[in-house]
Amino acid sequence: MNYRKIAAGGAVLALAGLMLTGTPAHAKAPAAACAGSNQVKETLPNGTTWQLCWRMQPQAGLVLEKVAVSYKRYPQQLLVLDSIRLAQLNVPYDSGETEYNDITDYGFGGGFLETLTGDDCKGGSARTGSDGAATPRRRKILCVSAEPSGLAYRSHDWDAQGREKVYNKLGHDLVLRSISKVGWYEYVTEYRLHDDGQISARLGATGDLSPGDYVNSSRGWPIGKNARDYASMHYHSAFWRVDFNIDGKNKDKVEQYDTKPDGRGPATAKLKTTKTDIAKEGSFNRANRRWWRVVSDTSKNTDGHKRSYELSVGADDKYEGHPETTPDVTFTQSHACEKYASGNADPQCATKKTIIDFAKDKETLKDPVMWVRVGFHHVPRDEDQSPMPLHWQGFDLTPRDATNMNPLTPDGRTSQNGQPR
Amino acid sequence: MQRRRRWAWGLGIATASALTAFGVASWQANAAPNPAPSTAAAADAPRVSDPQPGPEAAAGTGADPLTTDEVGKARAAALTPELARKSTDVTGAAGPEYLSIELAEEGDARTADVYFYDYKTDKLVKQVVDLRTGKVAGSYSAAGMQLPASDREVQTALDLLMADPLAAELKSAYQQATGKTLAGKDGLTVTAHVFKARPADAATKQCGKHRCLQLVVQSKDGTFIDANDLVIDLSGRTVARLK
Ligand SMILES: [Cu+2]
């Protein structure tokens, strides 16, 4: 049986999992991904284990590297990401007077990074590490916690005697969180690693409204008594830089899927789905039913399907203020000095200032980097005073065929693979 | 529907027991931490490990952040005699202004990117230091490129502002916000961001080529003092009003 073979090899490979993910071209034995204090390895109640390295960068703040997952049912560790981190945060005010670039003009690391205190990490483990400052200090700056994520699944079943049974399970997330204070805003950088393999990246904003940006009624919202103090509407438009390396093979490709009306069937409209290979650098925009995935060209699950992760973006306000803030997603070939979606300032590649510059030469995507933009147009409300309730923006990376079935499948359902026949 | 379900379950029995067997065996072989007990209480309050931080290592491995030792060594190596001689810092003294350091994001060797600003040429300087050899492996500079301000640059900007006639505006904003008179810069907590001129900014049009800062000013009790219209040009050592 196929399963048994995989399982037998799986246990051994899992131990060496991260060691195997180095670039194949490198002749020497690859070094460990990171030392103990910068490694997070936790097993959630359903048996899913996430392992990764973390550190703080002066501008980007929290960086996760070598993010890998294994499951009780699939113990062979699967590398998913080489790295994920923020890549810009534009905060333009609707007055057109002010725009802050909180990552490239301030930074989420160093002195802007908050030491965790009080309820910041209640119920979790506050980890100590370097804050990434010019003169680094070791402080409690990363919160690691496991949090219930609600019902993971539910399904009815009947036994041979016709007795009813319900499969249901509470899910959990491994949550990594850091806090950066930039001016009056306090931002939460958060990654939720779900026990079903999903990765959620979110940015939360709290703190207080800008004390100085008050405008007229068409660009603000009255937050004090009567109609006097109109707090300026503004954006928090964020970019993340996501560098996949599915199964450590360095063979990732990008695909776009579109589903369009295709005439009518007897009951309703027919829809047709087509795939477009994205072989070269470029920027792309959302459309109804459009989605993208990063798929390994060589790593397959036991059903013979290529392993992939799909980008899912939820609520999003597009910020059209600049050419580089307009596209929803940009794929570029990985280059070390292409670090920030805008305001990229590296003398080693002085002409590469934004993702538009990075993608301009339409390079072939051999090691694709995904730049995801998610915006939140913040219309202040009375409740924003004070402190402001956290508001969130972000996206999900959902496994698609990373495992041949739901990695949390209960024992009674393991035969449910493919069309029942 | 029920018939199909029953049939499916019947098929499942053999597979389920086989999988249970492999599951237990592989957990043991893997020596992974045991999953939390499946009691309701444990499931409601999952725990993560809480390791105590040991002393900082002399050198990091792989993706570890740069250690204090590594930062010291990389900074020393990056400041080559030539760079020290040819450049000036934010105070006008010889040697470049140290801005930041970070682990290079790609490549297998541990490499530090050390960033300086040279006020003599208004260029951002990047020195790439190989941490194994302790040598500069690459040296780059470019004009019109700005990284976030160093603490000393922020303090220098505040000093320039306090010594400028436009300090009157900061003092009046302080008075308005706190009801008190600003005694001196010790009464302020200041951060800053780099400012680059927009097309309409006449008085500060050199900012971007020059290194300019806008201050975010708070009184010691946390009240924000509006200094947003004041731009300090660290390269030109001038202060200007935005509008
Ligand atoms: Cu806001």
PDB file of all heavy atoms in Angstrom, chain B residues 72-87:
ATOM      1  N   GLY B  72      29.385  44.185  15.599  1.00  0.00           N
ATOM      2  CA  GLY B  72      30.606  44.939  15.889  1.00  0.00           C
ATOM      3  C   GLY B  72      31.684  44.687  14.842  1.00  0.00           C
ATOM      4  O   GLY B  72      32.299  45.622  14.313  1.00  0.00           O
ATOM      5  N   LYS B  73      31.869  43.411  14.530  1.00  0.00           N
ATOM      6  CA  LYS B  73      32.914  43.061  13.556  1.00  0.00           C
ATOM      7  C   LYS B  73      32.578  43.577  12.154  1.00  0.00           C
ATOM      8  O   LYS B  73      33.444  44.093  11.445  1.00  0.00           O
ATOM      9  CB  LYS B  73      33.098  41.541  13.516  1.00  0.00           C
ATOM     10  CG  LYS B  73      33.873  41.015  14.712  1.00  0.00           C
ATOM     11  CD  LYS B  73      33.947  39.492  14.704  1.00  0.00           C
ATOM     12  CE  LYS B  73      34.632  38.997  15.986  1.00  0.00           C
ATOM     13  NZ  LYS B  73      34.313  37.586  16.276  1.00  0.00           N
ATOM     14  N   ALA B  74      31.312  43.426  11.778  1.00  0.00           N
ATOM     15  CA  ALA B  74      30.913  43.866  10.435  1.00  0.00           C
ATOM     16  C   ALA B  74      31.035  45.385  10.303  1.00  0.00           C
ATOM     17  O   ALA B  74      31.482  45.896   9.275  1.00  0.00           O
ATOM     18  CB  ALA B  74      29.485  43.410  10.136  1.00  0.00           C
ATOM     19  N   ARG B  75      30.638  46.093  11.345  1.00  0.00           N
ATOM     20  CA  ARG B  75      30.748  47.567  11.292  1.00  0.00           C
ATOM     21  C   ARG B  75      32.201  47.988  11.164  1.00  0.00           C
ATOM     22  O   ARG B  75      32.539  48.896  10.398  1.00  0.00           O
ATOM     23  CB  ARG B  75      30.150  48.183  12.557  1.00  0.00           C
ATOM     24  CG  ARG B  75      28.655  48.338  12.510  1.00  0.00           C
ATOM     25  CD  ARG B  75      28.161  49.092  13.729  1.00  0.00           C
ATOM     26  NE  ARG B  75      28.637  50.472  13.773  1.00  0.00           N
ATOM     27  CZ  ARG B  75      28.280  51.338  14.708  1.00  0.00           C
ATOM     28  NH1 ARG B  75      27.455  50.955  15.681  1.00  0.00           N
ATOM     29  NH2 ARG B  75      28.726  52.572  14.689  1.00  0.00           N
ATOM     30  N   ALA B  76      33.057  47.335  11.931  1.00  0.00           N
ATOM     31  CA  ALA B  76      34.484  47.691  11.886  1.00  0.00           C
ATOM     32  C   ALA B  76      35.066  47.415  10.499  1.00  0.00           C
ATOM     33  O   ALA B  76      35.806  48.235   9.950  1.00  0.00           O
ATOM     34  CB  ALA B  76      35.236  46.916  12.963  1.00  0.00           C
ATOM     35  N   ALA B  77      34.699  46.249   9.940  1.00  0.00           N
ATOM     36  CA  ALA B  77      35.229  45.903   8.616  1.00  0.00           C
ATOM     37  C   ALA B  77      34.680  46.832   7.537  1.00  0.00           C
ATOM     38  O   ALA B  77      35.384  47.213   6.605  1.00  0.00           O
ATOM     39  CB  ALA B  77      34.880  44.448   8.286  1.00  0.00           C
ATOM     40  N   ALA B  78      33.401  47.198   7.693  1.00  0.00           N
ATOM     41  CA  ALA B  78      32.745  48.017   6.662  1.00  0.00           C
ATOM     42  C   ALA B  78      33.346  49.415   6.578  1.00  0.00           C
ATOM     43  O   ALA B  78      33.363  50.045   5.522  1.00  0.00           O
ATOM     44  CB  ALA B  78      31.248  48.108   6.957  1.00  0.00           C
ATOM     45  N   LEU B  79      33.815  49.896   7.727  1.00  0.00           N
ATOM     46  CA  LEU B  79      34.380  51.248   7.759  1.00  0.00           C
ATOM     47  C   LEU B  79      35.841  51.173   7.323  1.00  0.00           C
ATOM     48  O   LEU B  79      36.761  51.223   8.138  1.00  0.00           O
ATOM     49  CB  LEU B  79      34.253  51.827   9.173  1.00  0.00           C
ATOM     50  CG  LEU B  79      34.653  53.289   9.352  1.00  0.00           C
ATOM     51  CD1 LEU B  79      33.788  54.198   8.487  1.00  0.00           C
ATOM     52  CD2 LEU B  79      34.529  53.692  10.815  1.00  0.00           C
ATOM     53  N   THR B  80      36.034  51.047   6.027  1.00  0.00           N
ATOM     54  CA  THR B  80      37.395  50.942   5.499  1.00  0.00           C
ATOM     55  C   THR B  80      38.106  52.288   5.652  1.00  0.00           C
ATOM     56  O   THR B  80      37.450  53.331   5.727  1.00  0.00           O
ATOM     57  CB  THR B  80      37.363  50.568   4.006  1.00  0.00           C
ATOM     58  OG1 THR B  80      36.608  51.576   3.319  1.00  0.00           O
ATOM     59  CG2 THR B  80      36.706  49.218   3.781  1.00  0.00           C
ATOM     60  N   PRO B  81      39.437  52.274   5.708  1.00  0.00           N
ATOM     61  CA  PRO B  81      40.175  53.545   5.843  1.00  0.00           C
ATOM     62  C   PRO B  81      39.788  54.553   4.759  1.00  0.00           C
ATOM     63  O   PRO B  81      39.658  55.743   5.031  1.00  0.00           O
ATOM     64  CB  PRO B  81      41.643  53.108   5.707  1.00  0.00           C
ATOM     65  CG  PRO B  81      41.659  51.664   6.115  1.00  0.00           C
ATOM     66  CD  PRO B  81      40.327  51.108   5.726  1.00  0.00           C
ATOM     67  N   GLU B  82      39.568  54.050   3.558  1.00  0.00           N
ATOM     68  CA  GLU B  82      39.229  54.943   2.452  1.00  0.00           C
ATOM     69  C   GLU B  82      37.872  55.616   2.692  1.00  0.00           C
ATOM     70  O   GLU B  82      37.709  56.818   2.527  1.00  0.00           O
ATOM     71  CB  GLU B  82      39.209  54.151   1.138  1.00  0.00           C
ATOM     72  CG  GLU B  82      39.113  55.048  -0.081  1.00  0.00           C
ATOM     73  CD  GLU B  82      38.725  54.275  -1.343  1.00  0.00           C
ATOM     74  OE1 GLU B  82      38.408  53.074  -1.237  1.00  0.00           O
ATOM     75  OE2 GLU B  82      38.729  54.895  -2.412  1.00  0.00           O
ATOM     76  N   LEU B  83      36.883  54.795   3.110  1.00  0.00           N
ATOM     77  CA  LEU B  83      35.552  55.335   3.380  1.00  0.00           C
ATOM     78  C   LEU B  83      35.612  56.337   4.527  1.00  0.00           C
ATOM     79  O   LEU B  83      35.002  57.409   4.477  1.00  0.00           O
ATOM     80  CB  LEU B  83      34.583  54.183   3.708  1.00  0.00           C
ATOM     81  CG  LEU B  83      33.138  54.576   4.013  1.00  0.00           C
ATOM     82  CD1 LEU B  83      32.488  55.280   2.827  1.00  0.00           C
ATOM     83  CD2 LEU B  83      32.315  53.341   4.416  1.00  0.00           C
ATOM     84  N   ALA B  84      36.374  55.999   5.548  1.00  0.00           N
ATOM     85  CA  ALA B  84      36.481  56.874   6.719  1.00  0.00           C
ATOM     86  C   ALA B  84      37.099  58.219   6.344  1.00  0.00           C
ATOM     87  O   ALA B  84      36.724  59.259   6.877  1.00  0.00           O
ATOM     88  CB  ALA B  84      37.322  56.189   7.803  1.00  0.00           C
ATOM     89  N   ARG B  85      38.042  58.181   5.407  1.00  0.00           N
ATOM     90  CA  ARG B  85      38.778  59.389   5.035  1.00  0.00           C
ATOM     91  C   ARG B  85      37.959  60.284   4.111  1.00  0.00           C
ATOM     92  O   ARG B  85      37.957  61.496   4.240  1.00  0.00           O
ATOM     93  CB  ARG B  85      40.089  58.968   4.346  1.00  0.00           C
ATOM     94  CG  ARG B  85      41.116  60.079   4.149  1.00  0.00           C
ATOM     95  CD  ARG B  85      42.407  59.537   3.544  1.00  0.00           C
ATOM     96  NE  ARG B  85      42.215  58.929   2.239  1.00  0.00           N
ATOM     97  CZ  ARG B  85      42.381  57.633   1.972  1.00  0.00           C
ATOM     98  NH1 ARG B  85      42.774  56.794   2.915  1.00  0.00           N
ATOM     99  NH2 ARG B  85      42.175  57.165   0.747  1.00  0.00           N
ATOM    100  N   LYS B  86      37.227  59.655   3.191  1.00  0.00           N
ATOM    101  CA  LYS B  86      36.597  60.435   2.132  1.00  0.00           C
ATOM    102  C   LYS B  86      35.205  60.967   2.465  1.00  0.00           C
ATOM    103  O   LYS B  86      34.657  61.772   1.715  1.00  0.00           O
ATOM    104  CB  LYS B  86      36.510  59.573   0.855  1.00  0.00           C
ATOM    105  CG  LYS B  86      37.853  59.504   0.134  1.00  0.00           C
ATOM    106  CD  LYS B  86      37.945  58.413  -0.906  1.00  0.00           C
ATOM    107  CE  LYS B  86      36.964  58.530  -2.048  1.00  0.00           C
ATOM    108  NZ  LYS B  86      37.185  57.447  -3.041  1.00  0.00           N
ATOM    109  N   SER B  87      34.612  60.500   3.550  1.00  0.00           N
ATOM    110  CA  SER B  87      33.213  60.845   3.799  1.00  0.00           C
ATOM    111  C   SER B  87      33.044  61.665   5.077  1.00  0.00           C
ATOM    112  O   SER B  87      33.962  61.755   5.891  1.00  0.00           O
ATOM    113  CB  SER B  87      32.392  59.564   3.896  1.00  0.00           C
ATOM    114  OG  SER B  87      32.954  58.718   4.881  1.00  0.00           O
TER     115      SER B  87
END
